[in-house]
Amino acid sequence: AVAMALFTRDLRVHDNPVLAAAAQAAEMLPLFVLDKTICATDYLSPNKAAFLVAALADLNEGLRRSGGHLMVRHGDTVREVCRLVRQYAVDEVHIAEDVSAYSRRREDQLRTQLAAANCGLRVHTGSITVAAPGRLTPSSGRDHFAVFTPYHRRWAQLPVRTPLPVPQHIRLPHGAGSEPVPAATDLTTGATSPELPPGGETAGRRLARDWFREDISTYADRHDDLAGDATSRLSPYLHFGCLSATELVHRSDLSAPGAAAFVRQLCWRDFHHQMLAARPETAHSDYRTRNDHWHVDTASLAAWQTGRTGYPIVDAGMRQLAAQGWMHNRSRMITASFLTKTLYLDWRRGAKHFMGLLADGDLANNQLNWQWVAGTGADTRPNRVLNPIRQADRYDPDGTYVRRWIPELAHLRGRDIHRPWRWHADGVGGYPARIVDHEQAACDFAGIRQHE
Ligand code: FAD
């Protein structure tokens, strides 16, 4: 029999249910399609394209070690798959289960069109998330969990499957030629972030190895310490599936320091995925209606995007995003709260900007975290507002994080750096004055009751 492993965002050879199942067949085709629909959307930013291309090249190398190689095609995924199915008389196509409206549609179309070509489709769960979306439902009878804590309680009790080994021998059908993986510049135009991490499974596994060996032990205590940078930075590798979330959970020794807190974050990832799977429209529309009337203010939006709001803790986060294609989770919360609850701009504007720069930019995690912060999502305290000054004092107590990203303010000592307007009401050294007074702006926001 001939099988096809259709890679999507599971770009790895370790613990890959799609690859492992397809490799059972006498011959198999490993395929990735650069889908023209995805390439034409905001999703494929220069940072993502660079990370993706590196991940594809690395996957190709990984497959070569087992005697195969990756076939890469451009165009419409369903059409390309069907074409190759006919050409190589493929009996069964394997693909990972995914959650977005686009991937659901792709799966439906593949099922119909492959059936017409007399070819089977097997959709593998546990490839992108740990728990299959929809696997856990609340006792209330709803089709998904909207509150994290009870979801986490049930999720933590699920058995974790043993990671799958790398297939040893891959045999491609006769004539299955290889083509070079495209260059990132073939896919997008525009500059990548100067400190973008290297894409691919090899880089991801190296990072994960060091994480488990050394750094995870301080995670519980230090994950919110902005200057300490003590989180795993595994998110882009998880987004593209260069690492398996299931394998990371499996490798976490829950009795060791930091591990339970880390695994809990992986549960947040599953939580948002099961929400998006149940409500795919929430990638664009509010999960919960708040009847908000967002302001429209292009100057404020531009100041926020470029790290020039005059609030150093906000601007530091936005500059980190531009420089690294990644931002610390605490900064993501502070900057998102500032956009939606201080400037009172629509969360979709912020989510779009993040998506254009984050290498880990992920429809489930990005959109639903944005909604969580904006108060239109699953947060049980939707009126909570993060006070940028208090957050800065708490999570960057001596100003090291801000000083790293805003050298214009480096002369201000300790916590003074979080309040530059006290010394420089009109800005200093090119760093701007505040575009808004948070206290005043937050008072104007009708629903606000809790400040943190
Ligand atoms: P760690 O702290 O080491 O956590 C380990 C892993 O757990 C992460 O790699 C990630 O896969 C997962 N995780 C951690 N926190 C969350 C969370 N709150 N929700 C879902 N999964 C989580 N994460 C993305 O992967 N892609 C996004 O596009 C994204 N956009 C966000 C937008 C906003 C406004 C906010 C507040 C958060 C967003 N997050 C997103 C969640 C989180 O900020 C990042 O996953 C995290 O900062 C990545 O860094 P890390 O790998 O060092 O995380």
Side-chain angles (χ1 to χ4, degrees), residues 197 201-212 215 232-235 237 243:
E201 183 175 15
T202 305
R205 292 190 77 77
R206 202 172 296 135
L207 197 61
R209 183 199 59 198
D210 294 346
W211 174 249
F212 284 117
D215 305 328
S232 71
R233 290 193 177 237
L234 293 174
S235 51
Y237 302 95
L243 290 173

Side-chain angles (χ1 to χ4, degrees), residues 18-308:
V18 167
L19 176 63
Q24 303 281 319
E27 293 177 333
M28 71 161 288
L29 274 178
L31 174 70
F32 182 85
V33 183
L34 287 157
D35 192 284
K36 61 176 189 207
T37 310
I38 296 184
C39 290
T41 64
D42 290 343
Y43 166 84
L44 200 69
S45 62
N47 281 347
K48 283 246 193 62
F51 199 94
L52 170 66
V53 161
L56 292 175
D58 194 52
L59 176 61
N60 190 32
E61 286 308 310
L63 293 167
R64 278 187 188 284
R65 285 193 286 276
S66 304
H69 60 245
L70 184 66
M71 299 182 79
V72 180
R73 291 282 190 273
H74 291 251
D76 175 72
T77 301
V78 176
R79 194 171 312 147
E80 290 306 314
V81 168
C82 290
R83 199 198 329 246
L84 289 166
V85 159
R86 291 202 175 85
Q87 187 178 346
Y88 292 100
V90 173
D91 302 288
E92 195 165 42
V93 172
H94 298 260
I95 189 173
E97 180 182 32
D98 207 342
V99 295
S100 68
Y102 161 81
S103 58
R104 291 297 178 85
R105 213 165 37 241
R106 176 180 64 196
E107 190 186 307
D108 288 346
Q109 288 172 358
L110 277 172
R111 187 168 288 109
T112 317
Q113 299 198 24
L114 289 175
N118 221 0
C119 174
L121 177 71
R122 252 177 77 194
V123 180
H124 294 266
T125 58
S127 182
I128 288 172
T129 52
V130 181
R135 163 94 193 266
L136 298 175
T137 50
S139 47
S140 65
R142 282 175 72 112
D143 61 350
H144 69 288
F145 276 92
V147 182
F148 177 73
T149 310
Y151 178 76
H152 180 234
R153 209 175 296 130
R154 295 268 304 280
W155 185 90
Q157 285 163 8
L158 290 176
V160 183
R161 80 172 160 70
T162 310
L164 300 161
V166 180
Q168 290 302 302
H169 302 291
I170 294 175
R171 262 193 64 171
L172 280 89
H174 183 68
S178 65
E179 338 54 75
V181 170
T185 45
D186 296 344
L187 306 179
T188 54
T189 51
T192 53
S193 295
E195 298 172 38
L196 188 72
E201 183 175 15
T202 305
R205 292 190 77 77
R206 202 172 296 135
L207 197 61
R209 183 199 59 198
D210 294 346
W211 174 249
F212 284 117
R213 228 181 244 171
E214 295 160 26
D215 305 328
I216 193 173
S217 59
T218 61
Y219 183 74
D221 300 329
R222 297 185 58 217
H223 68 274
D224 264 331
D225 169 5
L226 282 165
D229 204 1
T231 67
S232 71
R233 290 193 177 237
L234 293 174
S235 51
Y237 302 95
L238 282 162
H239 171 70
F240 284 99
C242 303
L243 290 173
S244 144
T246 300
E247 187 186 341
L248 294 182
V249 173
H250 196 265
R251 282 171 72 175
S252 299
D253 168 7
L254 292 180
S255 63
F262 173 67
V263 169
R264 190 169 188 276
Q265 292 315 109
L266 293 172
C267 179
W268 269 108
R269 182 173 177 273
D270 274 18
F271 175 72
H272 290 310
H273 279 72
Q274 57 96 42
M275 279 179 75
L276 187 67
R279 299 282 181 278
E281 70 283 1
T282 58
H284 309 290
S285 52
D286 292 354
Y287 180 80
R288 263 189 202 134
T289 312
R290 278 174 59 89
N291 295 321
D292 280 317
H293 297 288
W294 305 107
H295 295 173
V296 176
D297 178 348
T298 47
S300 295
L301 179 65
W304 178 83
Q305 287 171 330
T306 51
R308 297 183 58 78

